[in-house]
């Protein structure tokens, strides 16, 4: 690694290299957990800094034509709301799981709001003031730590178990002395006493490049559970409860990772349907998981209506059918949304969609708009994907109405949005 300090004008006459250090003024926050700085004409995405700070940064990636990546290694002019990160793994070159532990909790909400607004503006051409709401009881003191009830950690050849370092396959070794501070109580302890199943051990020895992974879950209804990917063992079901209804979900299946998130999103989705008469109507819950939002839609359409929940994972679809078996108006379908949509009715009254990080995509947005629902409620875990799909829906005749954003992932750059789309008469 080079310790030579390049002048800020990069006029040293040689190409910058990983490890080079330079002092930079730190600009706005950008999507992905970093801030934007400029070094000559070059954009530098800097982790571990805050907007308005001056920092010495170390280059971590110079492989792209248009930009570099860097870590702030010394803060020369700190922001007033910079705080000391609690986690020892939150540092340059360290864990990639958290991005904002160095900002106080309210500043984190502002950073995330700025990112959502910027993505909507740049990608969808929509100017919107965004406020990110903290989840109940989770903004002060300890509340931003110990919340993550599910983690998926990797096992490396040296027996280390933990999350990966930022933009790297290197495993960050988690131990009781150096725990993951956002993981729910008991998960770090469980990781340190895990037996690696024989089948997973063989995978590791077989020259596979992909590291074995384990999901650790702290369900509301019991002790922490570990599920190794590829172990071939039966995966236990756990129970989560929202609005008085129990949902069975595989211990390694999808469920919101913050203990308050599912209930908050369920309420926000319900609120987005307020004032819309759906009794006896039809509704789709796309990317439905184990049926969380289908339960809300079933209430809205009532026993004379019909709800279809579509989910790509067979186990989750089975759980959805079982979880909602007492609601005969709900049908659970296993399949990929983009394929199943072709076979569905050509009219629907209401849609909820909660796609993975990549978003629903243009084809799905266009196909949905063609069914002329009176409301589309989009639950989004990635603001860039939400902005892309907002643009696609706008072209197809739907405008963004209300937008709420929630801090379901404190200390990280991740944000969950609930966006309501309605027909835009002016585009028809
Ligand atoms: C963000 S989760 C939402 C789950 C559910 N709405 C909830 O809140 O618990 C996204 C879900 O979409 C499923 N999925 C991913 N890609 C899919 C596709 N192309 N078609 C159908 N389901 C898909 C995943 O298995 C996952 O259960």
């Amino acid at each position: 690694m080079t310790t030579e300090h390049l002048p800020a004008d990069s006029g040293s006459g040689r190409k910058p290299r990983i490890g080079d250090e330079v002092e930079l003024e730190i600009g706005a926050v950008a999507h992905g957990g970093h801030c934007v700085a400029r070094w000559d004409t070059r954009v530098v995405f800097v982790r571990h800094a805050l907007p308005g700070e001056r920092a010495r940064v170390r280059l971590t990636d110079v492989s792209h034509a248009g930009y570099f990546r860097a870590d702030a290694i010394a803060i020369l002019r700190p922001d007033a709301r910079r705080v000391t990160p609690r986690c020892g793994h939150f540092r340059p070159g360290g864990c990639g799981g958290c991005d904002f532990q160095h900002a106080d909790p309210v500043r984190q909400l502002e950073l995330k709001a700025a990112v959502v607004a910027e993505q909507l503006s740049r990608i969808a051409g929509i100017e919107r003031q965004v406020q990110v709401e903290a989840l109940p009881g989770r903004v002060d003191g300890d509340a931003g730590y110990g919340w993550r009830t599910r983690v998926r950690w990797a096992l490396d050849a040296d027996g280390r178990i933990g999350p990966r370092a930022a933009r790297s396959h290197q495993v960050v070794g988690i131990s009781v002395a150096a725990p993951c501070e956002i993981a729910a109580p008991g998960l770090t302890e469980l990781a340190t006493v895990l037996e690696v199943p024989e089948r997973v051990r063989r995978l590791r020895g077989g020259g596979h490049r992909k590291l074995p992974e384990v999901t650790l879950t702290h369900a509301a209804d019991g002790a922490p559970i570990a599920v190794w990917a590829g172990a071939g063992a039966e995966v236990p079901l756990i129970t989560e409860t929202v609005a008085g209804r129990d949902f069975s979900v595989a211990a390694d299946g999808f469920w919101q990772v913050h203990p308050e998130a599912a209930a908050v999103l369920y309420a926000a989705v319900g609120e987005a349907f307020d004032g819309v008469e759906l009794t006896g109507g039809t509704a789709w819950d796309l990317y439905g998981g184990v049926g969380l939002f289908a339960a809300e839609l079933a209430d809205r359409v009532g026993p004379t209506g019909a709800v279809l929940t579509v989910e790509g994972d067979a186990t989750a679809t089975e759980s959805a059918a079982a979880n909602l078996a007492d609601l005969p108006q709900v049908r659970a379908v296993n399949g990929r949304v983009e394929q199943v949509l072709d076979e569905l009715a050509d009219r629907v009254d209401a849609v909820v969609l909660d796609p993975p990080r990549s978003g629903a995509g243009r084809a799905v947005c266009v196909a949905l708009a063609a069914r002329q629902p009176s409301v589309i409620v989009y639950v989004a875990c990635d603001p860039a994907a939400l902005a892309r799909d907002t643009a696609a829906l706008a072209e197809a005749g739907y405008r963004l109405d209300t937008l709420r954003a929630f801090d379901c992932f404190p200390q990280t750059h991740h944000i969950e949005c609930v966006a309501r789309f309605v027909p835009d008469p002016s585009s028809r």
Side-chain angles (χ1 to χ4, degrees), residues 352-375:
V352 175
L353 72 162
D354 183 8
R357 204 157 292 289
S358 48
R362 197 185 152 70
V364 168
C365 292
V366 169
L368 285 182
R371 270 41 179 242
Q372 299 180 26
S374 46
V375 186

Side-chain angles (χ1 to χ4, degrees), residues 3 6 19 55 68 88 107 124 146 157 165 168 262 296 324 405:
T3 50
L6 297 182
F68 293 153
R107 186 77 184 105
S168 154
E296 167 66 24
L324 307 176

Side-chain angles (χ1 to χ4, degrees), residues 31-255:
H31 184 34
H34 41 230
C35 293
V36 183
R38 286 196 184 269
W39 183 17
D40 281 355
T41 56
R42 189 88 61 161
V43 166
V44 187
F45 293 119
V46 181
R47 274 172 68 78
H48 303 111
L50 289 171
E53 291 186 330
R54 183 168 181 79
R56 170 165 295 283
V57 313
R58 183 182 291 149
L59 298 184
T60 54
D61 181 358
V62 295
S63 63
H64 302 273
Y67 63 89
F68 293 153
R69 294 185 186 280
D71 255 337
I73 53 166
I75 305 300
L76 309 172
R77 191 182 62 240
D79 183 276
R81 289 193 281 165
R82 170 173 277 275
V83 295
T84 305
R86 178 183 298 186
C87 184
H89 301 293
F90 183 87
R91 57 180 166 73
C95 183
C98 288
D99 312 284
F100 292 148
Q101 277 195 33
H102 58 303
D104 82 18
V106 176
R107 186 77 184 105
Q108 291 188 26
L109 301 183
E110 293 169 3
L111 294 174
K112 297 185 193 203
V115 168
V116 177
E118 187 267 338
Q119 294 291 298
L120 282 174
S121 168
R122 194 162 56 77
I123 300 173
I126 291 175
E127 302 308 319
R128 200 46 87 94
Q129 284 277 353
V130 178
Q131 268 206 326
V132 176
E133 303 171 45
L135 297 198
R138 298 274 156 183
V139 76
D140 296 320
D142 273 5
Y145 290 99
W147 54 267
R148 195 174 176 109
T149 57
R150 275 156 195 252
V151 295
R152 193 172 167 100
W153 285 345
L155 168 72
D156 74 7
D158 299 324
R160 266 189 295 266
I161 290 183
R164 288 181 170 85
R167 295 187 178 273
S168 154
H169 295 296
Q170 287 237 298
V171 173
V172 174
I174 296 297
S175 66
V176 173
C180 167
E181 295 283 0
I182 61 168
L187 296 189
T188 290
E189 289 75 3
L190 178 59
T192 58
V193 297
L194 278 181
E195 300 264 331
V196 183
E198 189 47 40
R199 209 159 137 177
V200 172
R201 211 181 282 281
R202 269 184 294 170
L203 269 184
R204 186 171 64 171
H208 289 266
R209 288 188 55 209
K210 199 169 175 314
L211 296 177
E213 290 186 336
V214 62
T215 299
L216 307 175
T217 304
H218 195 148
D221 69 339
I225 297 174
V227 180
W228 286 94
E234 196 174 324
V235 174
L237 292 175
I238 58 168
T239 304
E240 300 282 356
T241 305
V242 173
R245 175 176 286 277
D246 285 347
F247 292 86
S248 262
V249 50
D252 63 348
F254 180 87
W255 188 258

Side-chain angles (χ1 to χ4, degrees), residues 9-39:
D9 65 6
S10 79
S12 65
R14 69 158 173 81
K15 277 177 87 167
R17 293 194 285 246
I18 289 177
D20 284 347
E21 295 177 11
V22 64
E23 282 181 25
L24 296 178
E25 290 291 326
I26 307 298
V29 66
H31 184 34
H34 41 230
C35 293
V36 183
R38 286 196 184 269
W39 183 17

Side-chain angles (χ1 to χ4, degrees), residues 254-256 265 285-293 310-313 316 335-338 354-357 379 381 416:
F254 180 87
W255 188 258
Q256 288 291 337
L265 297 175
D285 170 26
L286 306 180
Y287 313 90
V290 299
L292 176 66
F293 301 127
V310 181
E311 162 59 42
D313 180 79
R336 297 185 66 75
V337 167
E338 52 278 32
D354 183 8
R357 204 157 292 289
V379 182
C381 59
E416 199 78 26

